[in-house]
Amino acid sequence: MKPLADMALDVLQTADGRAKTALSHKYAAEWRAAREGGDLPEIGTANPPMHPARPDKPELLSPRDVPHRKPGSELGRIALLHAVAHIELNAVDLHWDIIARFSHISLPAGFYDDWVSAADDESKHFNLLCDCLEELGSHYGALPAHAGMWRAAEDTAEDFMGRLAVVPMVLEARGLDVTPGMIKVFKNAKLDSAVSALETIYAEEVSHVAYGSKWFNFMCGRENSDPKEVFHALVRRYFHGKLKPPFNEEKRADAGLPPDFYWPLTEDL
Ligand SMILES: [Fe+2]
Ligand SMILES: [Fe+2]
């Protein structure tokens, strides 16, 4: 078995979405089998590219140039599924990127278990959404997508704690806030496959946020610092803009994110 950092690099360097997620599933299964067999596979080190390989399509546009469509129409629902598929593909790369980019930091094996498992989930999420798009006669790549999605990765490329704060604890937590509304859109349209895909995503994303808060707290404990204060400082430094309520307080609590972590970030300093 290859060192985990090399596996991560392979996924990051695969451009096609279905091929990237197939490789991600394969490596996650290898990792899990080794761990269940009682092995601690080698982590290794890697030098990941600043930008992961991506397919030629979708065309990536600045957020203000991506056309907004009303979710009440068929085209609007396709656009919404396409946008979420794009987020999921970015999430696959983000999770393998954190493994590769910060492989020089010494962490318990459980950290890698969590991130490999999250990458495996995101790969499934991307494929579920691609299936829904294809069922509606579209596909991933048929519409333009946001170019800014990788910004958080670039901004925190040299700050492991910043990455944990911004990606799982802000961006993925935001997913918990907005997914119930999306599920409603597809329920109203009686699109069962999209409803079930989004319900799977909603259930599994709680654990991704939980991995973030768990390892963020672990690192703060290692450095004997106050997690809440460190979180506020890092989000203000690396996240552009304020956090937007309403928050899904219940699911955020399930994921170990207490209100005093996020409410103060809704205000200007
Ligand atoms: Fe996901
Ligand atoms: Fe996620």
Side-chain angles (χ1 to χ4, degrees), residues 88 91 95 118 122 125 172 204-205 208:
E88 299 293 349
H95 297 328
E122 312 293 12
H125 300 170
E172 291 188 280
E204 293 181 348
E205 287 301 330
H208 304 175

Side-chain angles (χ1 to χ4, degrees), residues 151-208:
R151 171 104 185 250
E154 289 175 90
D155 290 346
T156 59
E158 298 194 355
D159 190 334
F160 177 60
M161 293 296 281
R163 178 68 64 90
L164 288 175
V166 170
V167 175
M169 299 171 78
V170 170
L171 299 177
E172 291 188 280
R174 173 85 183 142
L176 300 178
D177 303 335
V178 300
T179 307
M182 285 197 263
I183 293 174
K184 214 172 272 170
V185 166
F186 292 97
K187 270 192 179 153
N188 290 341
K190 301 194 169 30
L191 282 175
D192 295 341
S193 51
V195 170
S196 104
L198 290 169
E199 280 175 345
T200 299
I201 291 171
Y202 185 47
E204 293 181 348
E205 287 301 330
V206 178
S207 57
H208 304 175

Side-chain angles (χ1 to χ4, degrees), residues 204-231:
E204 293 181 348
E205 287 301 330
V206 178
S207 57
H208 304 175
V209 180
Y211 300 153
S213 45
K214 169 175 150 188
W215 293 106
F216 187 85
N217 279 300
F218 172 90
M219 290 299 289
C220 288
R222 192 183 251 183
E223 289 157 16
N224 199 18
S225 48
D226 178 343
K228 186 176 68 180
E229 279 171 23
V230 176
F231 179 71

